[in-house]
């Protein structure tokens, strides 16, 4: 009898402890990364859906890149929560330029995908990208699904169709979607070009349709959406420290996110990773330098 009482008491305590674990802020985080989306274009940019979501949620036009302002280190930082000094990623190569301070058991960057896999092995996570090398910055053994779109320039809608299919079919806990079109325009025609500006409403519409698929999947109300970028352009290039290259927009909206809120604290790429981790109350390692952006209600 005494043993039974102890057992019941232990179960109650266990239950109470488990109850204490904070409830996820939302069940799904969908990150849409627009490669080469610079703040410089936002005065004139025709992006009605993105502007609407900036009102619907929280946003800043002053998110700062890590250095150098190129894709590899800036996508890596938004997933691994660390600056270049920790990740060793300074280029678009498939390996760090110098010895990283931390790597996973798979010899990869410790991204939020890795942390999620450790904490919730059953969680569905995925990456869909238009830039094949984007996957160099993801521990592929820690995502349930990854797909690089073939010939994205020839099939601009493929990224929408593939992302929508994946979201509707799998309802991922975390999904990172990478769209390359603006960077392509920036390199081909340059910062401020008519071609770049003409691509913006098309990209805006692709974002809208991807978000729409979350509604069709029935997860919209239990999701947080993040629209982010890796760098801007100067002329037809990037990698330098000019304002046009290092200032990028960020929009966050959805469940538990402040509405019509301008983010005023300094935001650097690696804070995006910490913000994603916070949604699931994932404990981040001390190698991370990112802090959750103050967008939560
Ligand atoms: Zn880029």
């Amino acid at each position: 009898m005494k043993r039974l009482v102890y057992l019941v008491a232990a179960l109650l305590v266990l239950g109470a402890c488990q109850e204490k674990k904070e409830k996820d802020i939302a069940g799904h985080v969908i990150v849409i990364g627009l490669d080469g989306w610079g703040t410089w274009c936002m005065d004139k940019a025709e992006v009605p859906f993105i502007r609407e979501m900036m009102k619907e949620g929280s946003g800043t036009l002053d998110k700062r890149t890590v250095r150098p302002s190129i894709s590899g280190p800036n996508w890596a930082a938004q997933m691994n929560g660390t600056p270049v000094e920790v990740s060793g990623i300074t280029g678009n190569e498939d390996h760090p330029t110098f010895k990283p301070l931390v790597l996973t058991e798979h010899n990869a960057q410790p991204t939020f995908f890795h942390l999620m896999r450790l904490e919730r092995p059953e969680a569905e996570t995925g990456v869909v990208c238009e830039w094949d090398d984007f996957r160099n910055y993801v521990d592929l053994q820690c995502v349930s699904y990854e797909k690089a779109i073939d010939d994205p320039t020839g099939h601009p809608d493929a990224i929408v169709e593939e992302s929508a299919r994946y979201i509707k079919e799998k309802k991922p806990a975390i999904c990172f979607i990478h769209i390359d079109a603006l960077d392509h325009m920036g390199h081909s025609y340059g910062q401020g070009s008519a071609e770049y500006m003409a691509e913006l409403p098309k990209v805006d519409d692709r974002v809208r349709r991807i978000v729409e698929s979350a509604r069709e999947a029935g997860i919209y109300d239990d999701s947080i959406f993040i629209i982010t970028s890796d760098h801007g352009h100067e002329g037809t290039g990037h990698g330098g420290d000019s304002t046009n290259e290092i200032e990028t927009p960020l929009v966050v909206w959805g469940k538990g996110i402040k509405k019509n809120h301008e983010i005023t604290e300094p935001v650097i790429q690696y804070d995006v990773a910490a913000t994603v981790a916070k949604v699931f109350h994932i404990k981040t390692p001390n190698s991370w330098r990112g802090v959750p952006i103050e967008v939560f209600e």
Side-chain angles (χ1 to χ4, degrees):
M1 182 61 182
K2 222 188 220 174
R3 209 180 271 171
L4 184 62
V5 172
Y6 282 138
L7 184 63
V8 171
L11 286 172
L12 283 173
V13 168
L14 189 70
C17 295
Q18 275 175 338
E19 242 167 61
K20 260 205 213 78
K21 181 145 182 12
E22 279 185 277
K23 203 167 165 307
D24 293 349
I25 298 170
H28 313 269
V29 177
I30 296 175
V31 185
I32 304 174
L34 306 182
D35 206 300
W37 181 34
T39 290
W40 62 263
C41 76
M42 289 305 284
D43 281 353
K44 297 198 181 79
E46 198 194 323
V47 285
F49 179 74
I50 290 172
R51 288 191 196 283
E52 198 190 322
M53 291 309 119
M54 268 187 151
K55 286 202 203 92
E56 176 64 26
S58 300
T60 177
L61 295 179
D62 302 329
K63 174 163 65 69
R64 188 59 62 86
T65 64
V66 295
R67 298 175 77 216
S69 56
I70 59 175
S71 305
N74 282 280
W75 289 129
Q78 293 185 69
M79 295 185 282
N80 67 26
T82 67
V84 171
E85 290 78 3
V86 173
S87 71
I89 297 174
T90 63
N92 289 342
E93 295 79 19
D94 64 359
H95 58 276
T97 320
F98 54 84
K99 187 170 171 285
L101 280 175
V102 281
L103 285 174
T104 71
E105 65 275 21
H106 309 126
N107 234 10
Q109 294 287 322
T111 65
F112 49 60
F113 289 115
H114 177 247
L115 297 176
M116 186 66 144
R117 179 62 76 224
L118 290 178
E119 277 219 5
R120 305 188 196 175
E122 78 297 340
E124 174 73 30
T125 59
V127 169
V128 187
C129 56
E130 285 194 328
W131 178 45
D132 199 8
D133 292 340
F134 181 90
R135 301 182 298 176
N136 293 337
Y137 313 108
V138 180
D139 187 344
L140 295 179
Q141 295 186 50
C142 290
V143 292
S144 325
Y145 181 75
E146 49 97 5
K147 169 85 177 160
I149 304 292
D150 300 326
D151 182 22
T153 316
H155 308 90
D157 280 335
I159 186 74
V160 176
E161 286 143 20
E162 178 56 26
S163 303
R165 185 200 61 72
Y166 175 59
I167 289 170
K168 283 190 271 187
E169 202 177 299
K170 296 289 186 177
K171 301 179 176 38
I174 304 177
C175 180
F176 204 123
I177 297 159
H178 168 273
I179 297 178
D180 204 36
L182 292 173
D183 189 48
H184 181 71
M185 287 301 167
H187 286 300
S188 308
Y189 304 99
Q191 180 263 334
S193 65
E195 291 83 358
Y196 183 103
M197 298 309 287
E199 190 67 22
L200 282 159
K202 298 177 194 164
V203 168
D204 181 71
D205 191 58
R206 287 172 209 150
V207 171
R208 181 189 61 74
R209 288 151 55 204
I210 291 170
V211 171
E212 197 49 40
S213 75
R215 223 184 270 283
E216 290 160 28
I219 62 169
Y220 185 89
D221 296 334
D222 186 27
S223 295
I224 291 173
F225 301 87
I226 299 177
I227 310 178
T228 183
S229 166
D230 56 344
H231 57 72
H233 286 90
E234 190 65 55
T236 57
H238 54 84
D241 294 335
S242 73
T243 305
N244 285 338
E245 291 164 293
I246 67 172
E247 275 193 347
T248 62
L250 174 74
V251 187
V252 185
W253 83 94
K255 190 175 181 186
I257 302 295
K258 292 175 186 165
K259 293 190 179 327
N260 208 11
H261 169 68
E262 190 189 347
I263 300 166
T264 51
E265 75 263 23
V267 174
I268 303 175
Q269 303 289 30
Y270 38 72
D271 298 328
V272 172
T275 306
V276 172
K278 167 140 180 149
V279 174
F280 304 100
H281 302 295
I282 293 173
K283 192 173 170 338
T284 55
N286 59 19
S287 58
W288 280 39
R289 293 294 178 271
V291 292
I293 305 165
E294 293 166 12
V295 293
F296 300 102
E297 284 170 336

